[in-house]
Amino acid sequence: MSERFTDVESVREGLKNVDYLADDGLASIVYLADRLEKPILVEGPAGTGKTQLAKSVAEMIGARLIRLQCYEGLDESKALYEWNYKKQLLRIQSEQNADWDTIEDDIFSDEFLLTRPLLEAITAEDPVVLLIDEVDRVEVETEALLLEILSDYQVSIPELGTIESKQIPLVFLTSNNTRELSEALKRRALYMYLDYPELEREREIVLTKVPDISQNLADQVARIVRSVRQLDLRKAPSVSETIDWARTLVLLGVEHVDAETATETANILLKYRSDIEKATKEFATTEDTFDV
Ligand SMILES: Nc1ncnc2c1ncn2[C@@H]1O[C@H](COP(=O)(O)OP(=O)(O)OP(=O)(O)O)[C@@H](O)[C@H]1O
Ligand SMILES: [Mg+2]
């Protein structure tokens, strides 16, 4: 059993020290994943801190982050390993007099193996955090490549045998929920839905990430973004957009947001013209709710 953390609170504190603000639910999952030696699957809307969670956990424990960015068409040779054909060919040519069995043993050895992120994480000697990012982008058949790693922390290579991990890495999978993931994959991981943060936590995130912002402005920003998210939008503002908006307001020297300022800067928060129009209308009628 691995014991990187003493308790849930120490996870929350540790993450806070690297500027990631987790609520107790999220901190518990990270704590449990370590104790149960299970991967974490984090699902949720864009920009809610899924990728950042893995990065921040790596930073917190001083581990190297190994990232497998998923995309349509990702295959074994990019995710797991690939044989270095060129090098193998050269070796075959240089060993023309040797018998085939000897050559075969030679060219299917470590020396000719090109490790890709998953194998890299398994064979690492130093502490690592493995991030399998946006796993919903690969075809469902490709998910099968991940199953052996996720349940047994090992990789089977036909020519070499099974390579077991020297340590159990912390593994994070993220998904934007563009399609259902397979049952097989879900079963192997602890599941966490990461939604937009609560008002108080988003305010804290803004205070942490935006230097020189006042308590009052951070509070207004969190409050207004929250009400904007309740509109029927094509793309609700994410935490990154909240931070961008807060930075913009500070740069512009704004100390207090009114409907006019909100309207003038709405393009930082929203990325569709129709969304901006909806928000602008809302700002005009709800200005009095911008403050507590
Ligand atoms: N809890 C948090 N504490 C601190 N910063 C946060 C938190 N949540 C989000 N952020 C900020 O929001 C930014 C965006 O987060 P991130 O890139 O992890 O989102 P994501 O969920 O992976 O989005 P996508 O689905 O688009 O990949 C981060 O770089 C970070 O600055
Ligand atoms: Mg991400």
Side-chain angles (χ1 to χ4, degrees):
M1 189 169 76
S2 57
E3 293 187 12
R4 293 178 179 90
F5 316 112
T6 47
D7 52 24
V8 175
E9 188 50 30
S10 71
V11 176
R12 228 175 48 77
E13 276 300 311
L15 283 171
K16 197 173 166 195
N17 290 338
V18 293
D19 286 352
Y20 189 91
L21 302 170
D23 59 14
D24 281 342
L26 197 53
S28 311
I29 285 277
V30 174
Y31 172 75
L32 282 176
D34 177 46
R35 288 298 162 108
L36 301 174
E37 302 184 337
K38 275 184 167 258
I40 303 178
L41 167 61
V42 196
E43 202 161 61
T48 48
K50 301 182 295 296
T51 302
Q52 189 62 47
L53 174 67
K55 291 184 182 172
S56 297
V57 168
E59 191 184 344
M60 165 174 67
I61 62 176
R64 176 159 60 105
L65 183 80
I66 297 181
R67 179 173 184 167
L68 174 66
Q69 178 62 51
C70 297
Y71 53 86
E72 214 183 310
L74 176 77
D75 62 13
E76 193 171 63
S77 70
K78 292 288 173 289
L80 275 166
Y81 67 90
E82 194 172 16
W83 289 107
N84 188 340
Y85 296 121
K86 235 188 200 154
K87 200 169 163 190
Q88 285 179 323
L89 216 63
L90 287 172
R91 181 61 61 91
I92 294 169
Q93 283 168 352
S94 72
E95 289 188 19
Q96 272 174 1
N97 298 327
D99 66 276
W100 178 245
D101 280 350
T102 314
I103 296 178
E104 207 174 16
D105 281 351
D106 187 17
I107 62 171
F108 288 112
S109 62
D110 275 359
E111 194 191 335
F112 297 87
L113 200 60
L114 297 171
T115 56
R116 302 299 182 218
L118 297 180
L119 184 59
E120 172 95 21
I122 288 298
T123 51
E125 308 259 359
D126 55 329
V128 295
V129 166
L130 172 62
L131 166 62
I132 303 175
D133 211 14
E134 306 188 351
V135 68
D136 52 330
R137 290 197 187 201
V138 300
E139 294 79 0
V140 68
E141 304 78 52
T142 314
E143 277 183 23
L145 289 177
L146 305 173
L147 299 181
E148 190 182 11
I149 290 231
L150 297 180
S151 51
D152 301 322
Y153 299 100
Q154 65 179 37
V155 173
S156 298
I157 301 178
E159 299 87 349
L160 276 185
T162 302
I163 301 181
E164 285 174 17
S165 73
K166 303 196 168 70
Q167 42 156 341
I168 307 281
L170 275 174
V171 182
F172 292 85
L173 298 132
T174 77
S175 163
N176 279 98
N177 211 0
T178 56
R179 66 167 176 81
E180 273 295 314
L181 301 173
S182 74
E183 285 299 319
L185 190 140
K186 282 191 171 169
R187 208 166 47 233
R188 285 164 171 79
L190 300 177
Y191 179 79
M192 173 84 204
Y193 188 83
L194 195 55
D195 211 338
Y196 299 114
E198 296 288 317
L199 179 67
E200 182 53 29
R201 196 157 63 96
E202 190 152 20
R203 196 177 72 91
E204 291 291 322
I205 294 173
V206 170
L207 281 169
T208 308
K209 293 282 165 116
V210 185
D212 301 330
I213 194 165
S214 68
Q215 293 270 351
N216 181 55
L217 187 57
D219 189 59
Q220 274 202 309
V221 164
R223 203 171 285 281
I224 297 168
V225 170
R226 193 181 167 78
S227 69
V228 169
R229 283 198 192 115
Q230 265 139 31
L231 302 172
D232 180 25
L233 301 173
R234 277 182 73 179
K235 166 74 180 64
S238 70
V239 180
S240 351
E241 277 134 4
T242 310
I243 295 170
D244 287 344
W245 191 44
R247 285 201 177 123
T248 305
L249 294 170
V250 169
L251 280 175
L252 295 175
V254 173
E255 277 160 24
H256 183 267
V257 187
D258 53 21
E260 197 187 334
T261 326
T263 301
E264 279 168 1
T265 52
N267 59 316
I268 309 290
L269 211 47
L270 298 159
K271 303 294 158 74
Y272 289 95
R273 195 172 158 193
S274 56
D275 288 352
I276 293 176
E277 279 166 5
K278 267 185 203 165
T280 302
K281 264 190 213 137
E282 183 76 4
F283 293 150
T285 57
T286 57
E287 192 182 32
D288 56 328
T289 64
F290 284 11
D291 296 286
V292 201

